[in-house]
C-alpha cells in the first residue's frame, strides 16, 4: 500500500493508559498514527512513555510518531495539525482522549483547578476537532471519537470540574455530529467507567472497593476494552453510527 493511501490517525494523550491502547488498536500497515503527550511536571518522563508507545506500535506492524503538544493552547494544536498535514496531506481519524483531573470537593475547588481541567479536557477537544474537521471536510470523509466518561452522565463527588468537562464532551459530540454529517464525517463518544490506568491506580483501596461494588460485571475494565470500542467506531462497519455515546463501563450505567 502506498504511503498516501494510508489512513492517518491522530490521538491526543497517547503516551499511556487508554491513549496508548488506542494507538495500538490502530497499529497496522494501512495506518499512520500521530499522537501527542504533555506533562509540565515531568516532561522527560512523559516523553519516555511516548517513545514506548511509538515502539509498541512499530512492534505491532504500524507507524507512530509523537509530539509534545498542549491541547489547551490553540497555537500548539494548530502547529501540530499543520505538521501532520504537511507530512501526510490528510487526517482521517481523530480520537480526542487527552484529559487530566484535579479532584476536590466543589466548595474547596479553586478557579485554577476548574480552568485547568476544562481547558485540557473540553477546550482541547474543541481545538483538535476544528483543525481535524477542516482536513476531513476536504476529503468528505472522517471519523471523530471523543473520550467522555461515565461521570459526565452520573456525576461523582469531588469531580465537579472533570464531570462538567466530560458532560461537555458529550454535548460537543452530538452537536458536531449534526454539523458534519452531510460532509461524510461521523462523530461519536466512548464513555469509560472504572478502567485500570495510572489515574485509577492512585485511588485508595476503600474507593476502589466502592467503585467495583457498583459494577454489575464485578470487575474493572482494561484500556483495551475502551480501545476496541474506539476502533469499531472508526471502522467502515460503523458508517451509519453518529452522535452516539457508547458506554464501556461493565454496566455501571444502565
Amino acid at each position: 500500500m502506498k504511503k498516501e493511501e494510508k489512513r492517518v490517525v491522530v490521538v491526543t494523550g497517547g503516551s499511556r493508559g487508554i491513549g496508548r491502547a488506542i494507538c495500538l488498536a490502530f497499529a497496522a500497515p494501512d495506518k499512520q498514527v500521530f499522537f501527542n503527550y504533555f506533562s509540565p511536571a515531568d516532561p522527560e518522563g512523559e516523553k519516555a512513555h511516548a517513545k514506548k508507545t511509538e515502539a509498541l506500535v512499530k512492534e505491532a506492524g504500524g507507524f507512530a510518531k509523537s509530539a509534545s503538544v498542549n491541547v489547551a493552547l490553540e497555537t500548539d494544536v494548530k502547529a501540530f495539525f499543520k505538521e501532520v498535514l504537511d507530512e501526510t496531506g490528510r487526517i482521517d481519524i481523530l480520537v480526542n482522549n487527552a484529559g487530566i483531573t484535579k479532584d476536590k470537593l466543589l466548595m474547596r475547588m479553586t478557579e485554577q483547578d476548574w480552568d485547568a481541567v476544562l481547558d485540557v479536557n473540553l477546550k482541547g477537544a474543541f481545538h483538535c476537532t476544528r483543525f481535524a474537521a477542516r482536513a476531513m471536510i476536504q476529503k468528505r470523509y472522517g471519523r471523530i471519537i471523543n473520550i467522555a466518561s461515565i461521570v459526565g452522565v452520573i456525576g461523582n463527588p469531588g469531580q465537579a470540574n472533570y464531570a462538567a468537562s466530560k458532560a461537555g464532551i458529550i454535548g460537543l459530540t452530538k452537536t458536531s455530529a449534526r454539523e458534519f454529517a452531510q460532509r461524510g464525517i461521523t462523530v461519536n463518544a466512548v464513555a469509560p467507567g472504572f478502567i485500570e490506568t495510572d489515574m485509577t491506580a492512585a485511588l485508595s483501596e476503600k474507593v476502589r472497593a466502592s467503585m467495583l461494588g457498583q459494577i454489575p460485571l464485578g470487575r474493572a475494565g482494561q484500556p483495551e476494552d475502551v480501545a476496541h470500542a474506539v476502533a469499531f467506531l472508526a471502522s467502515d462497519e460503523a458508517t451509519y453510527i453518529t452522535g452516539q455515546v457508547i458506554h464501556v463501563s461493565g454496566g455501571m450505567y444502565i
Side-chain angles (χ1 to χ4, degrees):
M1 177 174 286
K2 297 179 181 179
K3 185 176 180 179
E4 61 270 19
E5 294 176 337
K6 294 182 179 182
R7 285 189 173 170
V8 174
V9 183
V10 175
V11 180
T12 66
S15 58
R16 291 184 284 163
I18 291 172
R20 174 179 286 173
I22 291 170
C23 290
L24 283 167
F26 291 112
D30 64 340
K31 293 181 178 65
Q32 300 178 77
V33 177
F34 295 81
F35 68 93
N36 89 299
Y37 62 92
F38 188 73
S39 176
D42 185 17
E44 289 305 313
E46 205 62 38
K47 182 178 181 179
H49 288 303
K51 292 302 179 184
K52 178 65 174 178
T53 299
E54 286 185 13
L56 289 170
V57 171
K58 290 172 184 176
E59 286 174 14
F63 167 91
K65 183 177 181 180
S66 64
S68 178
V69 179
N70 182 358
V71 296
L73 298 178
E74 182 182 24
T75 51
D76 276 24
V77 175
K78 183 178 181 179
F80 177 50
F81 278 89
K82 182 179 185 301
E83 183 178 340
V84 174
L85 287 168
D86 286 347
E87 184 168 336
T88 68
R90 60 194 295 166
I91 295 171
D92 301 287
I93 299 163
L94 167 67
V95 184
N96 284 310
N97 168 72
I100 63 170
T101 59
K102 287 186 177 293
D103 296 350
K104 285 179 185 173
L105 292 174
L106 182 63
M107 296 304 295
R108 296 177 181 174
M109 188 174 291
T110 66
E111 183 177 359
Q112 289 74 23
D113 293 331
W114 177 271
D115 287 346
V117 172
L118 270 291
D119 281 352
V120 173
N121 299 8
L122 184 56
K123 188 161 71 172
F126 162 71
H127 287 324
C128 294
T129 297
R130 280 198 308 148
F131 286 110
R134 290 172 184 170
M136 292 174 178
I137 286 170
Q138 292 180 3
K139 301 286 187 180
R140 300 194 68 83
Y141 174 90
R143 300 283 182 269
I144 299 173
I145 300 100
N146 298 320
I147 304 302
S149 170
I150 189 171
V151 304
V153 180
I154 67 174
N156 196 37
Q159 289 194 306
N161 48 5
Y162 188 75
S165 72
K166 294 304 185 176
I169 284 287
I170 292 172
L172 176 65
T173 297
K174 292 180 178 294
T175 297
S176 25
R178 289 183 178 275
E179 290 188 4
F180 300 150
Q182 293 187 343
R183 306 299 181 94
I185 302 168
T186 64
V187 188
N188 292 286
V190 174
F194 188 68
I195 307 296
E196 294 283 10
T197 64
D198 290 346
M199 191 181 293
T200 57
L203 298 173
S204 69
E205 285 303 315
K206 183 178 179 180
V207 172
R208 286 177 62 86
S210 174
M211 295 288 286
L212 289 170
Q214 300 175 51
I215 304 173
L217 286 181
R219 63 175 177 84
Q222 298 299 316
E224 291 75 17
D225 294 319
V226 180
H228 293 324
V230 171
F232 168 70
L233 290 171
S235 73
D236 291 339
E237 285 73 33
T239 57
Y240 202 55
I241 301 173
T242 196
Q244 303 304 302
V245 181
I246 308 298
H247 287 265
V248 181
S249 64
M252 286 182 76
Y253 180 72
I254 295 178

